[in-house]
């Protein structure tokens, strides 16, 4: 439930585009979703629901019939939210599919990083990931805040297969961290912080993502989803995950 300065707003948000809105066996999925939506709508302080669902999902198909017994306004519109980046059988094959300038940047900044003694750490302990995130926050990373970090850490602590990776310099200081998880064979990148103010010419974001993409390909994974999308240059090569934004008031 969204809060404003600690005060509940009555608006409940849930994102089920990646099929993790309901945790149960397949036989009970419809019943659990139906019970949850009904309970939320009957709750006295609920003013509305904001759901993100796949247009071909059973949950999206169920909603109109679930709302018949309620005096509710209902609207659903297609949106672009999460995006999927197809991978290849090898990292070199992935790079060859990119434009020449993007391919050059992936290679150039990685070589530059390695020449400066920067190390990629593929599996960070969660506690170390938290320390690195808070240190980067203290440097004034654009768009980052304590609440966002706390939300990400809470999610990483409960997923079965987390992705916790980062770059650290030759002195052991963290320059970049990237977090996500692998669920149902699908890797999801949820969170990234980079020390761009102190290393503006290092392209830390690109270097970190290059290493992570290479490790995912090595594990046999053939695509990666970026939660809420990804910026340039990778956005040119991504495919939107079909999504419907649902408003119930």
């Amino acid at each position: 439930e969204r809060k404003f300065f600690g005060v509940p707003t009555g608006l409940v948000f849930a994102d089920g585009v990646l099929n993790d809105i309901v945790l149960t066996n397949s036989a009970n999925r419809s019943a659990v979703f139906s019970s949850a939506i009904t309970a939320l709508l009957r709750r006295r302080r609920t003013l509305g629901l904001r759901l993100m669902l796949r247009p071909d999902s059973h949950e999206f198909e169920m909603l109109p019939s679930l709302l018949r017994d309620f005096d509710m306004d209902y609207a659903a519109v297609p949106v672009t939210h999460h995006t999927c980046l197809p991978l290849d059988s090898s990292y070199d094959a992935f790079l060859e599919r990119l434009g020449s300038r993007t391919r050059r940047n992936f290679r150039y900044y990685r070589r530059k990083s390695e020449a400066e003694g920067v190390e990629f750490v593929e599996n960070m302990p969660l506690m170390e990931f938290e320390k690195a995130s808070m240190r980067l926050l203290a440097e004034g990373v654009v768009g980052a805040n304590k609440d966002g970090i706390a939300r990400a850490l809470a999610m990483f602590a409960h997923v079965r297969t987390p992705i916790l990776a980062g770059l650290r310099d030759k002195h052991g200081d963290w320059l970049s961290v990237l977090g996500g998880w692998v669920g149902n064979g699908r890797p999801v990148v949820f969170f990234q912080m980079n020390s761009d103010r102190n290393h503006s010419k290092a392209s830390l974001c690109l270097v970190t993502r290059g290493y992570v993409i290479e490790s995912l390909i090595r594990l046999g994974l053939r695509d990666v989803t970026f939660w809420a999308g990804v910026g340039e240059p990778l956005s040119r090569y991504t495919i939107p995950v079909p999504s419907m934004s649902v408003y119930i008031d």
Side-chain angles (χ1 to χ4, degrees):
E1 182 176 6
R2 183 65 53 83
K3 293 183 179 180
F4 186 71
F5 288 100
V7 179
T9 62
L11 293 176
V12 178
F13 291 75
D15 189 329
V17 172
L18 303 182
N19 296 325
D20 45 13
I21 196 171
V22 176
L23 302 179
T24 183
N25 59 42
S26 56
N28 293 324
R29 189 175 181 92
S30 297
V32 170
F33 181 75
S34 175
S35 296
I37 295 298
T38 301
L40 286 169
L41 293 177
R42 287 178 176 167
R43 195 179 65 152
R44 185 170 296 177
R45 67 175 185 267
T46 298
L47 297 180
L49 305 183
R50 301 291 182 263
L51 308 178
M52 197 80 72
L53 301 171
R54 290 184 69 100
D56 57 353
S57 68
H58 188 50
E59 286 80 12
F60 181 69
E61 294 174 356
M62 287 175 61
L63 276 176
S65 60
L66 283 177
L67 299 176
R68 286 174 187 164
D69 296 332
F70 296 92
D71 182 17
M72 296 282 173
D73 289 329
Y74 170 83
V77 295
V79 293
T80 298
H81 189 49
H82 308 310
T83 56
C84 179
L85 176 68
L87 303 179
D88 291 89
S89 58
S90 70
Y91 185 60
D92 285 338
F94 168 75
L95 291 180
E96 286 300 320
R97 188 163 49 82
L98 306 178
S100 59
R101 184 173 181 179
T102 302
R103 180 168 59 250
R104 173 194 172 277
N105 287 342
F106 265 100
R107 288 171 172 161
Y108 170 77
Y109 286 108
R110 178 155 163 177
R111 287 195 301 265
K112 183 174 183 290
S113 174
E114 291 172 349
E116 294 172 354
V118 174
E119 176 191 11
F120 173 65
V121 181
E122 187 171 346
N123 297 301
M124 294 175 63
L126 183 61
M127 188 173 294
E128 185 69 19
F129 190 93
E130 180 177 4
K131 289 180 181 178
S133 300
M134 297 310 295
R135 176 166 180 160
L136 290 170
L137 180 65
E139 294 183 10
V141 173
V142 176
N145 57 63
K146 284 187 176 181
D147 289 343
I149 293 174
R151 177 190 179 208
L153 292 171
M155 296 173 75
F156 301 155
H158 288 87
V159 295
R160 190 169 295 176
T161 310
I163 298 171
L164 302 174
L167 296 177
R168 62 185 173 195
D169 65 16
K170 58 186 178 181
H171 305 293
D173 295 328
W174 291 102
L175 306 177
S176 174
V177 291
L178 181 149
W181 59 85
V182 179
N184 298 321
R186 176 194 292 117
V188 178
V189 172
F190 180 77
F191 175 93
Q192 186 169 3
M193 298 178 71
N194 310 292
S195 181
D196 288 327
R197 289 192 174 183
N198 296 332
H199 304 272
S200 58
K201 297 182 180 180
S203 197
L204 295 170
C205 180
L206 200 68
V207 174
T208 305
R209 287 175 178 174
Y211 276 115
V212 170
I213 287 170
E214 183 178 28
S215 65
L216 294 176
I217 291 173
R218 192 168 58 245
L219 292 171
L221 299 167
R222 291 296 173 259
D223 58 59
V224 55
T225 297
F226 288 89
W227 185 284
V230 65
E232 294 283 358
L234 287 181
S235 61
R236 304 173 204 161
Y237 311 100
T238 58
I239 302 168
V241 179
S243 306
M244 298 294 292
S245 187
V246 177
Y247 303 84
I248 302 171
D249 294 294

